[in-house]
Amino acid sequence: MSSDLIDKSYEPHEVEKKWYAYWEEQKLFSADETSKNNHFSIVIPPPNVTGVLHMGHALNNTMQDILCRYRRLKGDNVLWMPGTDHAGIATQNVVERKLASQGMDRQQLGREKFIEAVWEWRAESGSAIINQLKRLGASCDWDRERFTMDEGLSLAVRKVFVQLYKEGLIYRGDYIINWCPRCRTALSDLEVDHEEQEGLLYHIQYPFPGSTKGLIVATTRPETMLGDTAVAVNPDDERYFNLPGQEIVLPLTQRTIPIIQDRYVEMSFGTGALKVTPAHDPNDFEIGMRHQLESIKVIGDDGKMTIEAGSQFEGLDRFVCREAVVAMLKEQGLLVRIEKHDHSVGQCYRCKTVVEPNLSKQWFVKTKPLAKKAIEAVEDGRTRIIPESWAKTYFDWMYNIKDWCISRQIWWGHQIPAWTCQKCNQLMVEMDDPAVCDSCGSKELVRETDVLDTWFSSALWPFSTMGWPDQTPLLKTFYPTSVLITGFDILFFWVARMMMMGIHFMDEVPFKDVYVHALVRDEHGKKMSKSKGNVIDPLEVIDKYGTDAFRFTLAAFAAMGRDIKLSESRVEGYRHFINKLWNAVRFSLMHITENPGAFNEKRISLADKWILSKVGQLTISVTESLDNYRFNDAAASLYRFVWHEFCDWYLEAIKPVLYGKKGEEEKAATIAVLWSVLKDTIVLLHPFIPFVTEEIWDKMPGTHGSIMKAEFPGGDKPLFQDPEAVSTMEMITGIITGIRNIRGEMNISPSKLLTASVQTDDGKKQEQIRTHQEMICSLAKLEVLNLSRTGDRPKSAATSLVEGMVVFVSLEGVIDFSKEEERLVKETGKIEQELSTVQKKLGNKGFMDKAPEDVVQKVQDQNNQLQEKLQKIKINLEKIQELQRS
RNA sequence: GGGCGGGUAGCUCAGUUGGGAGAGCAUCGGCCUUACAAGCCGAGGGUCACAGGUUCAAGCCCUGUUCCGCCUACCA
């Protein structure tokens, strides 16, 4: 076979396209919902339909794909459930922007038409991210792709809502919630991003009635004073003992408000007097509840002041109003002072608008009872969180969980199945739309317009995607799922809530393991963001370096519990690896022209046994690593094996055999081993780099069908292991490396053939060296390799010590001896240093008495070896010095 | 305020029950040796943040200090 059958370098683009289409066509990603085989299931963290693939998705899905492909090779029945999330607010924003560009808004369009427009939009561009996942090689069972707004999933949402309502775990009420004035909707606590900002603390005088004196309160938001309904002081505060029960004048208004006592007030902050605005501050709301204070809403849902704020402020934007209030207070001499004050400001996680705490009627999930069971599940290990440190974070949040505001005042989402009777105000929550009021029989029913938080439907994902509420075969086979792979940023948003819902509705945890991976950052460790301009687009990386190189990079850097700093140059490095592999295959396939069949264990060479043992160890290491989510360990073993064992040693060692220098029989045996090793290696690599391995598989003689159907190395048979061959090979490679050291350090040209000898009295080693002297000669570029006994030594030679043997490289006509002297002096220094630490241990009575025997023995052996080594090197040093003198 | 993670070679990072400090990249020297110059052969480089402690033995365990990230929280 000539090399023109395989290109000199690997070109990913066509290969990737070809094989992905093939896999899909052959239905190789399909799960069998009835199979009794060991099953393995993952539900994808559904990306937003609005989304484009970013680095986080790439990492997350690469890991899932590695596990799924690995388990398929192991023979498991694998379900990787794909789908997307309707992303209520985000999607609505996108479509609204589109409308705006056409000079329209959703109000003009009306609810129904607007929702139609969203569906249209989804039909156009909603599959973008799915196609991007495919480019990543994701082996999801696409025929089962789900969407949170699908009919089936919507039914699940409704069922869950109705049941929770009937169980008293969902309620409606007037509470203070986070309000985004731009999105015009309520947000849950999690949907508010807090950011530390420089702000101002305004000290304002509230006068006593008919007095110029008064109390000074401090606030960062002066505009809210218009809605104050009390001033609170701490009951222990001696300064204000006589005040409670009195009233105080609220400036800029006609109102007087009471002075109350509440332990919430921090005496040390400001003046110890707190203005209370129950309608616009969560704490003040609590205080208001305790003291039955009136709530006055002065900021409207649009972020502008209401009529309650007073006619001079009505209609002003809340921040404009702040300036106006401050100016007016100043005018009236009531602004005592302004201090700089850093505080955290809540922003809408979708649009960054400053969130307004606002009183309104919303729907909530009572989370405590649900959280309790979700905590227990992790405590007793039904669900493992990996790495374990995240369990603590999970517990902290779960223990301090607050009720979850689930209603959103947008249109895109699952409309809440609640109806209010216009006659008697009866509230009905039902599976089937009610026609008449179940209390008064009126037909005047009005449906709740709010929709549910997107995360409400995501919380059902592990079972809603499998057909729940129907008891489908899919659900029976694959729930609970084997593992959830996710970033820590949605641990609360999503994982915690899936736990609560899964346990409540399925009576079983949604996943056995939760593997929490890190975030992908830029090369300086900064979060990638569009505004910083440091975003690396995964698709560009794929275009430039190929999917496999990219995936391998992600796997290699995916150490547990640490962020991944990614830069293009790293991907480039792993492209080299893919190319190295490609070329190793190219070389191998020049010699493997047909299926060589099984090798005969009795006929194979040392190098063969060694590489077979190594591939066996590799198999164990990859298996263990993947079973424990140690993707980086698996990637590292594969990298080291392919490059530094298979290419650097094995292929080099068998070249003379392949070139026919050892006869046809040995050549055939070696080719059989080469084929077998290559096959196993490619299969082990496949989960990480699916495309290039499929391409190689296709080109290899003796393979059939897709590599996805291949058998994992070993199968049921024990893996090949030959420890003796491994240690012999290590000795041989040690000798070769010793000779290469000398060559390299003394700048002897690689093309110059040398003469060397190995000095040992060990008969077995002599025998082995003799047997493998051709390999040594070829790899160390020797003309002659001699064996000698102690005492024999060449006249002028450089020396190297290997496993108690002395390797001499003849320097006749090659060298200046001062260089060799330098080498040996340096070497002596190293050995002496090692020796001193070893001897310190041996001289330590405590160590000798208390250390375990095997450790002591090991140190003693080291000591002996080092002593011997030192002695030998000293002899050679003397010789060299003699030679120089003569 | 609370919590978590991190500080190991020039850079990015591994280091799984405590027992001879590692990799990749970069650097330096030598090679177009017929699969691969996206390559080959060799070399140099570390007070494992700092200070204590436990131990025969600490990068690893404990305490404190410091610096850097992140998460979380109702001091207006």
Side-chain angles (χ1 to χ4, degrees), chain A residues 335-374:
Chain A
L335 187 65
V336 180
R337 67 171 186 281
I338 302 175
E339 284 173 0
K340 283 201 171 156
H341 181 72
D342 295 346
H343 61 137
S344 77
V345 176
Q347 304 171 351
C348 171
Y349 82 136
R350 287 295 175 210
C351 72
K352 296 293 155 203
T353 302
V354 174
V355 160
E356 187 61 42
N358 220 339
L359 187 63
S360 77
K361 181 163 289 199
Q362 301 290 344
W363 294 82
F364 298 86
V365 174
K366 198 191 262 183
T367 44
K368 285 268 184 223
L370 297 169
K372 186 169 177 286
K373 288 194 277 180

Side-chain angles (χ1 to χ4, degrees), chain A residues 789-805:
Chain A
R789 295 185 167 275
T790 307
D792 287 355
R793 93 180 289 293
K795 260 204 244 107
S796 54
T799 54
S800 177
L801 302 171
V802 180
E803 293 191 19
M805 303 175 292

